[in-house]
Amino acid sequence: MLENIPQVTYMDTSSWPKDMHLGYAQNVVRRIDEEWTTEYPAPAKLQEQITPLKTAVAKEDEDYQQSRKSDQTALIRQADDERDALLNQALTVIDAMAKVSAIPASQQAALILKGLVDVYKPSAKLALRDESTQVDQWLQAIGENLAAEQAATTLGLTQILADLKTKNDLVITLMDARAADRAQQALIQLSEDRKETDRCMRNFFRMMDAVACVDANEHRYLTILGRLQQDQTEWRQRYDEYRRTAKRVSVKSSIVGNHLYSVSRGWTWAQLIDDGKALLAIDAEDENRIISTDKKAEKVGGLYLALAGVLVRPTDDIDTEKEYQLVALPE
């Protein structure tokens, strides 16, 4: 029986970012494989906990890797770049010709189209979904206005606008497909995977503690317990440093109704969450993908239901490499 057994208990990582949560779990599995092999297997009681733990970590890894891949993302970016080029080309021609009084017919045509630009405000600087909507409305308005169609012909923009519509429709189609693709499904599943990993991890550490304290072979666990203890210290320091260096959310926000909207890149609102703020994070590339940082489903779901008719499902999983629009609930 061990008298000076290192104190190694389960470390709760349920609130950690996806990559760190998985990384620590994989580290524990690696230590297990280093300590026990086919030739020198783990005690039977421990093996009963090791097997499901390895299965859970492998599943989390699989879904984590899949959640970072989207069959449509690369295609969306390419189509969006091509759409932006066409849109900017059309807007540049319109703006330029609207200032050239030496060619009255062209200037008049440009002014007609510019009037519609001012109304619908299509811009390559907008979020993907917003740009798609504005471009679609602008092109539809031109198609329903004979004078605008003739103006596009006068400026030689007929083919450019036709190509723009094709690319805009493609972006919309790809974004709709991405919302239901494997990456999104894997992201949803990943939340459940993390819970299962946490459950198996707790069971493993509890059994490790129990078995190590009663096993007559007191040297069997010294190495792995010492390494796990050191690993926990290092990973906790790594997480603390991550939280310490997280940027604060910009206070440059706008008020829409009684809801505060703020834009930030990455997971930079950790401090606000610590302060007890209830937030929604809206994916800037797909407003249908909503992440809640508030565990009260009724409150957050009710807010977003009122905003967009979609019930949000709360989760702590936030992609640290994407841009989100934050919605802070009023006090």
Side-chain angles (χ1 to χ4, degrees), residues 31 41 60 69 120 175-176 181 243 246:
R31 292 304 189 196
E60 181 178 347
K69 303 174 183 178
Y120 295 100
M175 289 183 67
D176 289 343
D181 74 3
R243 295 297 299 273

Side-chain angles (χ1 to χ4, degrees), residues 166-187:
T166 299
K167 291 298 179 184
N168 195 58
D169 290 345
L170 177 59
V171 171
I172 294 173
T173 298
L174 291 173
M175 289 183 67
D176 289 343
R178 184 175 66 175
D181 74 3
R182 290 178 299 169
Q184 297 299 322
Q185 295 304 315
L187 185 63

Side-chain angles (χ1 to χ4, degrees), residues 173-219:
T173 298
L174 291 173
M175 289 183 67
D176 289 343
R178 184 175 66 175
D181 74 3
R182 290 178 299 169
Q184 297 299 322
Q185 295 304 315
L187 185 63
I188 294 172
Q189 180 59 43
L190 186 58
S191 178
E192 296 303 315
D193 294 341
R194 287 163 57 105
K195 295 176 183 177
E196 178 62 13
T197 295
D198 292 340
R199 186 187 70 81
C200 292
M201 191 75 74
R202 280 193 300 271
N203 291 342
F204 166 73
F205 275 98
R206 287 171 180 169
M207 184 59 69
M208 169 78 88
D209 179 62
V211 173
C213 287
V214 299
D215 198 322
N217 186 353
E218 64 181 34
H219 298 291

Side-chain angles (χ1 to χ4, degrees), residues 66-139:
Q66 186 60 53
S67 72
R68 297 174 62 82
K69 303 174 183 178
S70 174
D71 296 339
Q72 285 78 32
T73 296
L75 296 175
I76 290 174
R77 289 174 179 169
Q78 179 181 349
D80 181 44
D81 288 343
E82 295 171 353
R83 174 181 66 177
D84 289 349
L86 290 166
L87 176 59
N88 288 333
Q89 184 178 355
L91 295 179
T92 298
V93 170
I94 293 171
D95 288 340
M97 295 309 298
K99 300 173 184 177
V100 182
S101 59
I103 311 178
S106 295
Q107 183 181 40
Q108 182 59 34
L111 290 173
I112 292 174
L113 294 178
K114 194 173 188 308
L116 293 177
V117 170
D118 293 340
V119 172
Y120 295 100
K121 296 179 173 57
S123 171
K125 296 180 180 179
L126 294 172
L128 283 174
R129 189 71 68 172
D130 291 337
E131 180 182 351
S132 300
T133 300
Q134 301 307 97
V135 168
D136 183 64
Q137 292 179 348
W138 181 54
L139 293 177

